[in-house]
Amino acid sequence: MATDSVRVRFAPSPTGYLHVGGARTALFNWLFARRYGGTFVLRIEDTDRSRHVGDSVAKIADDLQWLGLDWDEGPEVGGDCGPYFQSERLDLYNEHIERLLDSGAAYFALESPEELAALRERAASEKRVLKYSRPDPLPTVAEGLAAREAGRKITVRFKMPDRDIVVDDSVLGQVRIAREELEDFVIQKSDGWPTYHFACVVDDALMRITHVLRGQEHLMNTPKHVALQEALGFATPIYAHLPIIFNMNGSKMSKRDKEKAIKKGLTPPEIDVHDFRAAGYLPEALLNFISLLGWNPGGDREEMTLSETAELFSLDRIGSSNAKFDRDKLLAFSTDWNTRVTADRLLGGLKDFAAVNNAASTALDDEVLSYLLRVSQGFRTFCDIESKAAFLTSEDDAIEYQPKAVKKVLAKNDGAGFAMLETLLVALEAVSDWTAESIESLLTEVCESREIQLGAVAQPLRVAVTGSTVSPPIYDTLVMLGREGTLKRIRRATQVKQAT
């Protein structure tokens, strides 16, 4: 394959955040372009104005940038084949629609929306799928223009050829769609905007797209596109339809999963890229995981950097079977990646997570956050770190003591935990070198002198400074909290005894 010939595109509709399935499509196109030294184009398909969401383009761009998927041509970057918003290409579409009308390959469809609705209702009552019947004779162009001038809401339809359509697909092989399954379809809506099918074909040709990598849900659209390409004299790009992504229970992974969960009062699953970002995943982990949804690098390899994946990527290793989104495996990937990246990268990821969530840990400085990351080996997502950091972001006099923790650790055995805190308060007040080593030495000395286990010392301290029985290692917990905060919280915890 000539390395300078590959041109691929990712063409999302601006309807919200980027779905993780869309991210997989963008990733595969990006990998293919990088593997063969080609061009990755970002195109915004915004001709369906009823579904357009105002800030979606910025959200999609932000999602792609967070993932590290840069585009060579497109919004903000420019290029020779722009504009890259379909809403700015209306003149181009109209020019090609006129070509099809003039050649007889397309025609004005004069049915009103009400007439079409009646046909659909009749088909539904007869329990059959409505298939559009081509008018005979066809309206002339003059009749269509006159109807439009009169204010009638009419469309333009493409005449499908009277034969089977064969799609040569790099993943699925040769797919034949019978003529009986095809019908004339709308290429220009009554509002004057082109349909997805038409704008997509025109743009792919004018932007010199050589390969189209997209989900298998588009497979039945492809015969329409092939027929349009033939009628317009365009070359047909190489198609590769990617496996559909399903949940582990076999249902299709959809944005509606979140809506269903919310209605049931459940925690909604991550579906969009932004969901995974807000849930505390590194983009490296998410990219690595979704690269394996339908593609196999061979050699039993799994964990790979983005650049390593690009070096191995090829269409012949994309499978045809549906992919399963295994969230447990993603969590395992996340845990591993949190140990693979550098300390600076991990800190950057934690700060991004905190900023996206407007989390309390944004108030902590880099030194404290770095310390927290070092003592939290084995964490799964940044949510775990945020939970561990809660005691650091609370005011000393606002710590809420969990009743079970007070009863089990402080009040048990006639208030042995409270008594230990009073002893430790005096000892810790004398510590001037507030380091993990000096605190460990002190607590070890207390344990040895009293012939007790560390838990008998550490747990009362933990409840005193965090309000619960869970925190990072006790020495690190006290160091991060600082001397004054630690002493203040212990004093406050001893006062809880009076209320128990």
Side-chain angles (χ1 to χ4, degrees):
M1 180 181 298
T3 58
D4 61 350
S5 65
V6 170
R7 286 179 62 86
V8 294
R9 48 76 166 177
F10 176 57
S13 298
T15 57
Y17 283 112
L18 179 61
H19 186 279
V20 72
R24 195 273 307 265
T25 298
L27 172 61
F28 280 23
N29 278 279
W30 186 94
L31 291 169
F32 191 66
R34 297 295 174 261
R35 171 69 175 83
Y36 294 104
T39 301
F40 176 58
V41 179
L42 175 63
R43 183 175 76 220
I44 305 300
E45 297 193 338
D46 58 347
T47 58
D48 189 345
R49 308 309 290 175
S50 64
R51 299 177 64 234
H52 183 89
V53 178
D55 60 349
S56 289
V57 175
K59 288 178 177 177
I60 291 169
D62 193 39
D63 289 338
L64 290 172
Q65 289 164 350
W66 178 72
L67 289 170
L69 302 180
D70 55 324
W71 52 97
D72 305 304
E73 295 181 20
E76 302 179 8
V77 176
D80 297 333
C81 298
Y84 294 93
F85 288 84
Q86 288 188 333
S87 58
E88 300 174 7
R89 300 172 64 85
L90 196 57
D91 289 344
L92 292 169
Y93 306 135
N94 288 339
E95 174 188 332
H96 287 83
I97 285 172
E98 288 179 14
R99 284 181 53 197
L100 292 178
L101 286 169
D102 291 342
S103 69
Y107 58 91
F108 285 103
L110 304 184
E111 301 89 359
S112 68
E114 293 76 18
E115 289 172 328
L116 289 173
L119 289 173
R120 281 192 289 269
E121 289 179 9
R122 180 176 177 180
S125 67
E126 296 173 355
K127 297 182 179 180
R128 60 181 175 83
V129 177
L130 175 64
K131 184 176 180 181
Y132 181 81
S133 296
R134 182 185 301 169
D136 186 18
L138 289 175
T140 66
V141 173
E143 289 172 334
L145 292 175
R148 183 169 284 176
E149 283 289 326
R152 292 174 58 185
K153 293 183 178 181
I154 62 173
T155 62
V156 176
R157 286 182 181 262
F158 177 73
K159 287 174 61 178
M160 283 297 287
D162 190 21
R163 57 178 171 78
D164 296 352
I165 299 291
V166 176
V167 176
D168 290 313
D169 189 87
S170 295
V171 174
L172 303 173
Q174 202 173 74
V175 181
R176 179 178 295 273
I177 296 86
R179 174 66 183 95
E180 294 74 27
E181 298 180 45
L182 304 171
E183 63 180 345
D184 294 353
F185 59 95
V186 175
I187 58 175
Q188 186 182 53
K189 295 174 284 187
S190 59
D191 59 8
W193 287 95
T195 59
Y196 156 75
H197 302 295
F198 189 74
C200 173
V201 166
V202 172
D203 288 345
D204 282 349
L206 299 186
M207 293 181 181
R208 306 193 304 276
I209 300 302
T210 61
H211 297 72
V212 174
L213 281 64
R214 60 189 183 190
Q216 284 182 20
E217 61 269 24
H218 287 285
L219 180 61
M220 291 310 295
N221 295 330
T222 307
K224 300 176 182 179
H225 300 177
V226 170
L228 273 172
Q229 288 152 3
E230 293 175 354
L232 288 165
F234 294 156
T236 295
I238 296 171
Y239 285 101
H241 287 90
L242 314 176
I244 298 174
I245 300 174
F246 283 85
N247 294 308
M248 293 302 289
N249 63 5
S251 63
K252 187 176 179 181
M253 195 173 180
S254 167
K255 290 188 177 186
R256 286 188 291 272
D257 292 346
K258 290 197 291 186
E259 299 170 5
K260 293 176 182 176
I262 292 172
K263 286 182 179 179
K264 294 180 179 180
L266 304 174
T267 301
E270 300 92 356
I271 299 295
D272 298 321
V273 168
H274 186 78
D275 297 336
F276 292 95
R277 183 180 186 180
Y281 289 89
L282 280 171
E284 291 91 335
L286 182 60
L287 280 172
N288 188 180
F289 175 75
I290 65 175
S291 72
L292 301 174
L293 295 178
W295 174 75
N296 187 338
D300 295 324
R301 294 191 63 173
E302 284 199 326
E303 294 190 6
M304 298 165 290
T305 65
L306 189 57
S307 59
E308 289 171 338
T309 307
E311 290 176 3
L312 296 168
F313 191 79
S314 62
L315 297 183
D316 60 359
R317 286 195 169 275
I318 297 176
S320 58
S321 301
N322 295 330
K324 291 290 186 71
F325 199 95
D326 187 341
R327 294 176 183 274
D328 290 337
K329 186 172 183 177
L330 174 58
L331 273 175
F333 269 52
S334 179
T335 305
D336 290 344
W337 270 98
N338 291 336
T339 65
R340 291 185 62 183
V341 299
T342 66
D344 286 345
R345 175 68 191 97
L346 204 59
L347 176 61
L350 175 57
K351 293 173 69 173
D352 177 76
F353 161 81
V356 165
N357 289 282
N358 193 26
S361 61
T362 54
L364 301 176
D365 61 33
D366 288 3
E367 184 178 357
V368 172
L369 291 175
S370 296
Y371 199 120
L372 194 59
L373 287 167
R374 284 198 300 273
V375 300
S376 302
Q377 293 294 318
F379 74 93
R380 301 182 303 170
T381 70
F382 292 125
C383 284
D384 298 339
I385 301 298
E386 187 67 25
S387 297
K388 290 183 178 181
F391 77 97
L392 293 170
T393 55
S394 301
E395 296 294 333
D396 294 331
D397 56 1
I399 292 292
E400 295 184 3
Y401 296 97
Q402 296 177 358
K404 287 185 179 180
V406 172
K407 181 178 180 180
K408 180 179 179 180
V409 177
L410 300 182
K412 191 175 181 179
N413 296 329
D414 296 324
F418 285 114
M420 178 56 68
L421 287 180
E422 292 173 354
T423 298
L424 293 172
L425 177 61
V426 175
L428 288 169
E429 284 176 333
V431 177
S432 57
D433 181 23
W434 199 260
T435 63
E437 292 75 18
S438 61
I439 294 171
E440 180 178 7
S441 177
L442 171 64
L443 299 188
T444 299
E445 183 180 331
V446 171
C447 290
E448 290 177 349
S449 64
R450 293 177 174 247
E451 297 183 346
I452 55 178
Q453 297 295 316
L454 179 61
V457 175
Q459 283 300 83
L461 273 177
R462 186 169 278 115
V463 173
V465 300
T466 71
S468 72
T469 57
V470 180
S471 81
I474 192 61
Y475 319 119
D476 300 309
T477 297
L478 301 189
V479 168
M480 286 186 286
L481 184 58
R483 184 177 186 276
E484 295 307 314
T486 297
L487 297 178
K488 186 174 182 179
R489 294 186 186 196
I490 294 175
R491 294 188 189 103
R492 182 166 176 262
T494 59
Q495 297 172 5
V496 175
K497 181 179 181 181
Q498 301 170 7
T500 58

